[in-house]
Amino acid sequence: LGTPSNGLPHHVPKPGNDNEPATDSDPTSAAGERSFTRMTYLGQTGGTYLVFSDPDGLILLDQHAAHERILYEQFRQIGAGDKIIAQPLLLPEIVTLSPGDYGLLMENVDILKETGMEIEPFGGYTIVIKSLPAILGHLNPQGLLQDLIGQLVGEGSTVSWQDKRDKVLISLACKGAVKAGQFLSKQEVSRICQDLDRLPFAATCPHGRPVWIVITGKQLARLFKRT
Ligand SMILES: [Zn+2]
């Protein structure tokens, strides 16, 4: 996760509420209707999917897509409050770029600064990275920069500032999110559940892929030829 795990409360998801009606709900329903903290966490499968049980049936959550959506929403809220968003680098990182990449980066330097990533010209086509977004403070600054440039390349000048900003935020969220294949402790899963429950909309990741799918009790019964 983006934050050190020692600050996580020891909290294990509680079993689902039996009073909830078992509906044949579709996976695109709003997160508000689904409480991950109230589901029973069964474990991780394929190193990627978190498996939960709730009165609807089985819920499979894509850990990368879920964390990406959480980080993306956190980035979008930046600027609304006065929380610390930048983490200064103890050793500012100096990177020399190609003229094209340098130009591209400088065009978007204000967007990056808003997220907490401070970049300044350092003479020629060299820049210095002075801080990272606090929630991505654990990442390699140069790797993050190269990824961002990769995202921005190919964006024409016709693209609106808002669209560019969105691209940058998605790219940062993707880079900061837990990867597929990464083991997550119960505490880390619990933290993801709590964060997801707070989001108004979490059914898809910022790229548009589903964050979770539901295999309903009816579907299970059909698979076991019980109907
Ligand atoms: Zn991603």
Side-chain angles (χ1 to χ4, degrees):
L1 292 185
T3 45
S5 55
N6 53 14
L8 291 172
H10 185 83
H11 171 83
V12 176
K14 294 189 179 63
N17 183 344
D18 287 326
N19 299 327
E20 268 184 15
T23 52
D24 221 337
S25 67
D26 75 297
T28 54
S29 63
E33 296 159 23
R34 212 165 273 292
S35 170
F36 283 92
T37 50
R38 279 161 60 200
M39 295 177 193
T40 308
Y41 177 55
L42 301 177
Q44 192 187 39
T45 186
T48 301
Y49 307 103
L50 307 179
V51 187
F52 298 86
S53 168
D54 93 340
D56 283 355
L58 278 179
I59 318 284
L60 302 180
L61 182 74
D62 180 317
Q63 64 188 40
H64 174 78
H67 197 207
E68 195 171 65
R69 166 56 70 176
I70 290 164
L71 292 178
Y72 174 70
E73 294 300 334
Q74 286 177 357
F75 276 125
R76 290 214 308 176
Q77 282 157 22
I78 277 175
D82 25 29
K83 41 189 164 175
I84 300 161
I85 57 161
Q87 181 172 309
L89 294 178
L90 291 178
L91 291 172
E93 189 131 337
I94 294 161
V95 188
T96 300
L97 301 165
S98 70
D101 286 355
Y102 178 85
L104 195 63
L105 195 65
M106 284 301 133
E107 266 172 42
N108 295 284
V109 84
D110 289 343
I111 295 174
L112 294 175
K113 190 171 183 171
E114 248 187 54
T115 69
M117 189 163 185
E118 257 186 281
I119 291 167
E120 284 176 11
F122 202 65
Y125 298 115
T126 302
I127 55 103
V128 56
I129 308 172
K130 299 186 108 176
S131 68
L132 286 188
I135 47 179
L136 303 182
H138 59 295
L139 295 179
N140 172 279
Q142 198 167 339
L144 195 58
L145 188 78
Q146 293 300 345
D147 251 54
L148 279 170
I149 290 170
Q151 279 295 316
L152 292 167
V153 167
E155 290 295 318
S157 50
T158 49
V159 173
S160 71
W161 185 86
Q162 197 58 43
D163 284 351
K164 266 198 211 168
R165 181 173 180 267
D166 227 44
K167 270 248 162 173
V168 167
L169 299 190
I170 290 172
S171 172
L172 288 175
C174 184
K175 196 74 181 150
V178 294
K179 302 281 168 277
Q182 193 174 326
F183 174 77
L184 295 187
S185 68
K186 270 192 175 161
Q187 285 94 327
E188 287 172 322
V189 170
S190 165
R191 173 70 180 270
I192 285 180
C193 291
Q194 289 170 16
D195 286 345
L196 273 181
D197 280 2
R198 264 186 240 120
L199 296 185
F201 179 78
T204 59
C205 81
H207 303 289
R209 292 190 298 271
V211 167
W212 72 80
I213 59 161
V214 183
I215 300 170
T216 64
K218 274 185 194 164
Q219 288 171 317
L220 284 174
R222 237 175 279 137
L223 288 168
F224 282 100
K225 308 210 182 300
R226 286 178 158 273
T227 53

